[in-house]
Amino acid sequence: MPLNLTDETPPQGFERLVRIEDPESGLRALICIHSTVLGPAAGGCRMWDYAGWDEARRDVQRLAEGMTYKNAMADLGLGGGKSVILGDARRDKTPQMFRAFGRAVNALEGAYYTAEDVGISPEDMAQVATETAYAVGLEGGQYGSGDPSPFTAEGVFQCLRVGVMHVFGSDDLTGRQVLIQGLGHVGMSLAEKLHAAGASLIVTDIDKAALARAERDLGARVIAPDQVFATQMDIFAPCALGAILDETTVPQLTAKLVCGAANNQLAQPGIAEELRARGIRYLPDYVVNAGGIISVAGEIHKAGPGYRRDRLSGIAARVDSMLARADKEGRTTTAIASDMVKEILASAERSV
């Protein structure tokens, strides 16, 4: 049986939702395009063991809209899209499945660029790339972006320094207590940058080897995962799970600044107002963690290293503007960031 692509009715405000089924390889996937106002949609492919199509649809739509915001704030000339593959990444992967997915991406004729996300490796994306030119995040080649983690960490670091300037009156990190939750590729890279800048690190993770390395090489103090919100700190850098800021944890948080790489840090949108009311500056995750998609965008646009460097600096400049507006208007940074994205999109629509 041939690869089957079915256009479903997208939610209001979305452009396209495509269901993909390939009985021969076992592929079941969705591609969601939220907006192409600023350019072709770009966003990673996630493989997850969803309960069914309905759960996968909700997730891909949420992620696609988030990519519109992230790409707009990073000034990438790209719209927002996302794809998900239904299945267990540890058990169900096959090269045939990813090649079938590549054919599906190719059928959209450049409206959507895909890359790695949760459950997808560079090797998987290389299989996708055998069937389409719209697969990025690849190793090697003149414009290959490879591992995006260092770019993500650099973007978070630059934004954190801007936040420190607003909160403490200086961007000097010497002696500032920074708690990093999660020492994966991004978290460890961020820890190294903060250590080099003189910060005093507190770290937690379930990976004992990563903790030992941070303690040995970076002089970090190790705490148990359940001690995060009982620990005194100046800055909180969530770089692991999302939804960690909620009605229970925020009242315990001693940090004056939250800036980290984790996605979806707020359990509910209203948490942003609770943080503001407590005098805690929150830098929206989709703004500060855009280094990965900036790296991928350089590959899409076939740009040199200067492109990535300029866009990373641009993120920090937007954070500076966002914080200034939030102070002036007495509103949350999330509300200001949302307004900034809407202004960017409206300006692009007017210029068409």
Side-chain angles (χ1 to χ4, degrees):
M1 295 178 65
L3 181 70
N4 183 24
L5 275 67
T6 304
D7 269 285
E8 298 188 349
T9 303
Q12 185 175 3
F14 287 69
E15 293 184 11
R16 195 170 182 187
L17 180 61
V18 182
R19 188 178 71 221
I20 304 149
E21 295 176 272
D22 182 52
E24 186 173 338
S25 68
L27 175 68
R28 296 188 304 151
L30 292 163
I31 297 176
C32 182
I33 296 176
H34 175 252
S35 172
T36 56
V37 170
L38 297 174
C45 175
R46 174 172 298 189
M47 188 169 185
W48 195 259
D49 197 11
Y50 296 103
W53 286 107
D54 287 345
E55 184 182 15
R57 283 188 192 92
R58 286 192 295 271
D59 200 32
V60 77
Q61 288 162 191
R62 174 184 64 84
L63 293 166
E65 185 173 16
M67 289 308 302
T68 294
Y69 278 58
K70 181 177 290 192
N71 294 344
M73 285 292 275
D75 187 27
L76 300 182
L78 296 170
K82 205 78 174 185
S83 53
V84 297
I85 295 175
L86 289 77
D88 188 330
R90 297 165 298 180
R91 183 190 65 221
D92 299 332
K93 285 182 179 182
T94 66
Q96 294 81 3
M97 177 183 290
F98 288 107
R99 288 197 291 270
F101 177 69
R103 293 195 295 276
V105 170
N106 204 58
L108 273 60
E109 300 179 326
Y112 168 67
Y113 282 83
T114 192
E116 300 94 328
D117 198 353
V118 176
I120 304 295
S121 69
E123 292 76 20
D124 299 328
M125 198 50 53
Q127 291 293 332
V128 177
T130 63
E131 300 288 344
T132 182
Y134 306 112
V136 289
L138 304 172
E139 301 283 358
Q142 184 178 359
Y143 301 103
S145 55
D147 181 8
S149 301
F151 295 98
T152 303
E154 178 62 23
V156 174
F157 177 69
Q158 290 191 25
C159 292
L160 186 146
R161 294 198 81 142
V162 171
V164 168
M165 173 64 82
H166 278 260
V167 172
F168 301 108
S170 166
D171 68 355
D172 185 4
L173 285 162
T174 304
R176 291 289 174 201
Q177 292 190 312
V178 185
L179 195 158
I180 302 177
Q181 183 188 42
L183 289 173
H185 292 304
V186 175
M188 187 63 80
S189 181
L190 178 63
E192 291 167 350
K193 294 174 185 295
L194 289 166
H195 172 69
S200 177
L201 298 179
I202 308 163
V203 298
T204 187
D205 199 295
I206 58 173
D207 185 338
K208 293 182 180 179
L211 292 173
R213 177 185 165 195
E215 187 175 32
R216 181 188 67 244
D217 297 344
L218 308 177
R221 175 161 67 96
V222 174
I223 63 169
D226 62 2
Q227 292 298 302
V228 167
F229 296 99
T231 300
Q232 184 68 37
M233 69 188 92
D234 297 315
I235 301 158
F236 180 39
C239 295
L241 300 175
I244 41 82
L245 294 170
D246 59 28
E247 294 175 351
T248 300
T249 58
V250 167
Q252 303 175 63
L253 186 62
T254 58
K256 293 299 182 184
L257 173 67
V258 177
C259 177
N263 287 310
N264 306 312
Q265 294 166 23
L266 306 185
Q268 300 93 25
I271 296 299
E273 182 57 46
E274 293 192 30
L275 288 165
R276 191 188 75 84
R278 288 178 55 82
I280 301 170
R281 302 291 183 90
Y282 167 68
L283 305 189
D285 46 67
Y286 72 83
V287 179
V288 306
N289 69 10
I293 192 64
I294 287 173
S295 177
V296 167
E299 189 175 341
I300 292 172
H301 294 311
K302 295 181 171 53
Y307 175 92
R308 296 179 174 94
R309 184 176 58 251
D310 292 346
R311 294 311 184 280
L312 286 171
S313 298
I315 295 176
R318 276 184 166 80
V319 166
D320 190 36
S321 299
M322 178 183 68
L323 287 167
R325 281 182 59 174
D327 287 345
K328 182 179 179 180
E329 300 175 23
R331 300 167 64 208
T332 66
T333 51
T334 56
I336 297 298
S338 180
D339 283 354
M340 291 172 74
V341 170
K342 290 172 183 175
E343 291 161 9
I344 291 167
L345 294 173
S347 176
E349 288 174 336
R350 287 193 298 269
S351 67
V352 172

